[in-house]
């Protein structure tokens, strides 16, 4: 988690400096948390980031999420999630795409959960601002390594 924390911190700094550039890239950062006291003392901290580009040639999306939680002073949740999606010629008749997602959260029982897919989309009917019908075919792979 230390290397991941360093990478995420560097990305946060880069994103905070860059903001949204003038091309078709979109950047989103979120940081939140809460502290509750009473019958149950609870503290949680959440961070997410999302970087995407969407134009007529390519669509790219990269995202990650970090969560940390303590209940009554005892760590009760700590996780890291991430994803990557890529599509080529999104608005064309044929569009290949790939995607992957991964998760690590010992409290949910996952040391590593990875899924990936690759496929092809065929656009049947597309009427601007009214409808868009397509068929997609994909091959999916999933690997799960549970905690003991």
């Amino acid at each position: 988690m230390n290397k991941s924390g360093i990478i995420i911190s560097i990305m946060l700094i880069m994103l905070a400096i860059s903001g949204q550039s003038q091309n078709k890239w979109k950047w989103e950062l979120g940081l939140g948390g809460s502290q509750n006291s009473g019958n149950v003392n609870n503290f949680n901290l959440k961070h997410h980031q999302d970087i995407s580009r969407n134009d007529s040639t390519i669509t790219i999306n990269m995202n990650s999420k970090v969560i940390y939680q303590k209940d009554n002073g005892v760590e009760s949740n700590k996780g890291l999630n991430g994803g990557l999606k890529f599509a080529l010629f999104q608005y064309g008749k044929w569009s290949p795409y790939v995607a992957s997602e991964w998760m690590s959260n010992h409290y949910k029982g996952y040391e590593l959960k990875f899924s990936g897919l690759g496929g092809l989309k065929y656009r049947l009917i597309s009427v601007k601002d009214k409808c868009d019908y397509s068929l997609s075919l994909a091959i999916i792979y999933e690997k799960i390594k549970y905690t003991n």
Side-chain angles (χ1 to χ4, degrees):
M1 188 80 167
N2 292 339
K3 289 181 184 178
S4 300
I6 291 169
I7 291 169
I8 290 171
S9 298
I10 290 169
M11 289 181 76
L12 273 174
I13 292 167
M14 289 171 48
L15 291 176
I17 292 170
S18 299
Q20 186 170 349
S21 61
Q22 52 190 336
N23 58 17
K24 297 179 183 184
W25 288 95
K26 179 182 171 191
W27 311 63
E28 181 181 325
L29 292 173
L31 180 64
S34 66
Q35 172 74 46
N36 299 307
S37 60
N39 292 339
V40 175
N41 295 321
N42 176 287
F43 166 78
N44 73 51
L45 185 61
K46 296 178 182 180
H47 158 74
H48 79 274
Q49 60 191 19
D50 190 79
I51 304 167
S52 61
R53 179 183 173 97
N54 189 0
D55 63 31
S56 61
T57 306
I58 63 170
T59 299
I60 301 171
N61 178 271
M62 297 170 280
N63 62 74
S64 67
K65 181 171 79 170
V66 177
I67 186 167
Y68 180 79
Q69 183 171 329
K70 278 187 173 183
D71 292 321
N72 292 322
V74 178
E75 186 178 83
S76 60
N77 197 358
K78 180 169 70 172
L80 184 61
N81 300 38
L84 175 65
K85 297 175 186 170
F86 176 81
L88 191 60
F89 312 123
Q90 176 180 329
Y91 302 109
K93 195 75 166 169
W94 294 93
S95 175
Y97 59 91
V98 294
S100 68
E101 291 188 9
W102 53 268
M103 177 174 82
S104 177
N105 189 320
H106 290 270
Y107 293 95
K108 290 186 177 182
Y110 298 113
E111 187 168 322
L112 176 67
K113 181 179 180 182
F114 172 82
S115 61
L117 65 89
L120 186 64
K121 177 174 81 172
Y122 176 72
R123 186 172 312 282
L124 297 169
I125 299 170
S126 182
V127 179
K128 188 176 179 177
D129 298 329
K130 295 202 178 194
C131 67
D132 191 8
Y133 297 101
S134 62
L135 291 175
S136 297
L137 179 67
I139 296 173
I140 302 170
Y141 172 80
E142 186 168 82
K143 180 175 176 91
I144 300 173
K145 184 175 180 185
Y146 295 102
T147 57
N148 294 329

